[in-house]
Amino acid sequence: MPTPTITVIGSLNTDLITRTPRLPLPGETLSATSFSTGCGGKGCNQAVACARLSSSSSSRPSPPGSSSVPAPSAPPPLPITIRMVGAVGDDEFGGTLLQGLKRNGVDASGVSVVSRQRTGVAVIVVEEATGENRILLSEGANGCVTPASLQQAWLSSSSSGSEDQDENKPALVVLQLEIPLSTVVHVVQRARQRGVPVLLNPAPAPAQEMQREVYAGLEHLILNETEARTLSSSSSSSPPPSSPPHDDHNRTDTNNDDATAFMSATATHFHTLGVATVILTLGARGVFFSTEAADSGFVPAEKVDDVVDTTAAGDTFVGAYAVAVTEGWGVREAVGWANRAAGVSVRREGAMEAIPWRGEVGEVGVGE
């Protein structure tokens, strides 16, 4: 039996991260606490999350020259190959991103190096008091990931395989919206024709309307409240009701009638458009999920008293969920495990740096 493959098609960015006690007011200059650079982009982060969380490693690798005793581990998880498809520029940032992917066990053969183009950049400001982040994107080479630039080999489970054989198909394709929307639509349609399940994380929420055809036959849709409001209002004349206010960062109450109505209406809306599984992430409150088979539920967020940085939480959740469903777990178990993985990530600084390894999260189904 061939090893299953998760193919992530999306963005690769260099993160420029500034940590500050608070955000400056208009016209105000503040001294930041720290500045750092790192590998990122939603596509890159989700690929690395898939690789780390499908690894049988029991813990984060030790630094060179150090020694450690491996922690007892559960039986090894199902081996999964992780492939990244995207583009970087022919600058120093691009080379660093490719090295970062390979160092984490990701097959980077599907990443193109675009001549005379800069690698994408994300400027991230993290407010230390809450761990919340604000991000500005410059797409760079990510804008070159067009339908014409994609080789059909992304529909194969190996960089040299043929898409003509069913056994060569990836087990799952993961997409976000930091590459051109036309490319996302193209990939969804081609995957549907080949019978390849797709997980779409529509982040950031698009400024332009999403074609309704994108949702037909979509296997997994993972989105937050902002994305749910934006996408539902652009795809229907009767969008779900507005979500209730939640200005308390640590609020976990989702039992009120307004919250229940919003979650249920959001799920129904996207099921009607053809989505099989809808997952609504609610930040510090938790995650709501619903399947077309009428299985739904709410998983409270992991209680974290020492939130440091939420930058990696969403991509960690997507990666963990993708791995769990590829291993054959049900939606409820996959959501619970992804929730746990995201809870680990917010205790650390950075984007890719904060993504946990499988041994740091525990096994799927344990505690869910």
Side-chain angles (χ1 to χ4, degrees), residues 108-133:
S109 60
V111 179
S112 302
V113 178
V114 184
S115 62
R116 297 186 297 278
Q117 182 63 259
R118 300 290 296 179
T119 298
V121 170
V123 178
I124 304 173
V125 179
V126 180
E127 191 174 22
E128 291 181 312
T130 62
E132 295 289 352
N133 64 79

Side-chain angles (χ1 to χ4, degrees), residues 200 202 205-206 210-212 214-236 238-240 262-280 288 290-292:
L200 175 61
M210 287 266 285
Q211 299 178 24
R212 294 170 65 93
V214 171
Y215 302 108
L218 191 65
E219 191 67 27
H220 310 278
L221 180 67
I222 301 179
L223 68 175
N224 63 25
E225 292 172 90
T226 299
E227 293 147 7
R229 289 194 298 271
T230 300
L231 294 176
S232 58
S233 63
S234 68
S235 59
S236 172
S238 301
F262 172 73
M263 293 185 292
S264 298
T266 297
T268 299
H269 173 78
F270 288 110
H271 286 321
T272 301
L273 293 176
V275 179
T277 302
V278 179
I279 297 172
L280 182 62
F288 174 80
S290 176
T291 73
E292 60 183 355

Side-chain angles (χ1 to χ4, degrees), residues 4-6 50 78-82 170-174 220 319-329 334:
T5 296
I6 297 174
C50 287
L78 175 71
I80 300 175
T81 298
I82 313 300
L172 182 68
V173 168
V174 180
H220 310 278
Y321 178 87
V323 167
V325 296
T326 300
E327 290 181 350
W329 291 93

Side-chain angles (χ1 to χ4, degrees), residues 27-101:
E28 181 184 21
T29 299
L30 286 180
S31 294
T33 303
S34 64
F35 171 78
S36 61
T37 62
C39 298
K42 295 194 72 63
C44 182
N45 288 340
Q46 291 176 12
V48 168
C50 287
R52 290 185 180 181
L53 291 162
S54 64
S55 170
S56 59
S57 299
S58 60
S59 62
R60 186 174 293 269
S62 301
S66 66
S67 61
S68 62
V69 178
S73 61
L78 175 71
I80 300 175
T81 298
I82 313 300
R83 293 190 65 211
M84 178 74 215
V85 176
V88 296
D90 59 349
D91 54 14
E92 66 279 12
F93 288 159
T96 300
L97 281 162
L98 291 173
Q99 293 170 13
L101 287 170

Side-chain angles (χ1 to χ4, degrees), residues 59-328:
S59 62
R60 186 174 293 269
S62 301
S66 66
S67 61
S68 62
V69 178
S73 61
L78 175 71
I80 300 175
T81 298
I82 313 300
R83 293 190 65 211
M84 178 74 215
V85 176
V88 296
D90 59 349
D91 54 14
E92 66 279 12
F93 288 159
T96 300
L97 281 162
L98 291 173
Q99 293 170 13
L101 287 170
K102 295 172 184 176
R103 189 170 57 248
N104 282 278
V106 177
D107 175 0
S109 60
V111 179
S112 302
V113 178
V114 184
S115 62
R116 297 186 297 278
Q117 182 63 259
R118 300 290 296 179
T119 298
V121 170
V123 178
I124 304 173
V125 179
V126 180
E127 191 174 22
E128 291 181 312
T130 62
E132 295 289 352
N133 64 79
R134 290 162 175 80
I135 303 174
L136 288 172
L137 291 174
S138 177
E139 69 172 7
N142 294 309
C144 300
V145 184
T146 62
S149 73
L150 286 180
Q151 296 181 350
Q152 293 304 320
W154 66 264
L155 274 173
S156 168
S157 61
S158 68
S159 56
S160 58
S162 168
E163 67 164 298
D164 295 330
Q165 302 295 324
D166 282 349
E167 61 266 27
N168 286 332
K169 296 189 301 186
L172 182 68
V173 168
V174 180
L175 289 162
Q176 325 77 34
L177 297 184
E178 287 183 348
I179 57 176
L181 185 56
S182 59
T183 305
V184 173
V185 173
H186 168 79
V187 170
V188 169
Q189 292 174 340
R190 288 291 294 119
R192 183 185 304 134
Q193 293 168 4
R194 290 294 318 283
V196 176
V198 173
L199 185 164
L200 175 61
N201 174 218
Q208 61 193 106
E209 183 175 346
M210 287 266 285
Q211 299 178 24
R212 294 170 65 93
E213 291 77 13
V214 171
Y215 302 108
L218 191 65
E219 191 67 27
H220 310 278
L221 180 67
I222 301 179
L223 68 175
N224 63 25
E225 292 172 90
T226 299
E227 293 147 7
R229 289 194 298 271
T230 300
L231 294 176
S232 58
S233 63
S234 68
S235 59
S236 172
S237 58
S238 301
S242 298
S243 58
H246 52 90
D247 52 4
D248 180 354
H249 179 71
N250 293 313
R251 177 181 171 183
T252 57
D253 177 21
T254 55
N255 295 320
N256 64 73
D257 291 340
D258 287 341
T260 301
F262 172 73
M263 293 185 292
S264 298
T266 297
T268 299
H269 173 78
F270 288 110
H271 286 321
T272 301
L273 293 176
V275 179
T277 302
V278 179
I279 297 172
L280 182 62
T281 59
L282 303 166
R285 289 167 292 158
V287 182
F288 174 80
F289 67 90
S290 176
T291 73
E292 60 183 355
D295 181 23
S296 65
F298 178 79
V299 179
E302 293 285 300
K303 182 173 176 55
V304 180
D305 295 324
D306 53 343
V307 174
V308 175
D309 188 344
T310 62
T311 303
D315 294 333
T316 297
F317 182 96
V318 170
Y321 178 87
V323 167
V325 296
T326 300
E327 290 181 350

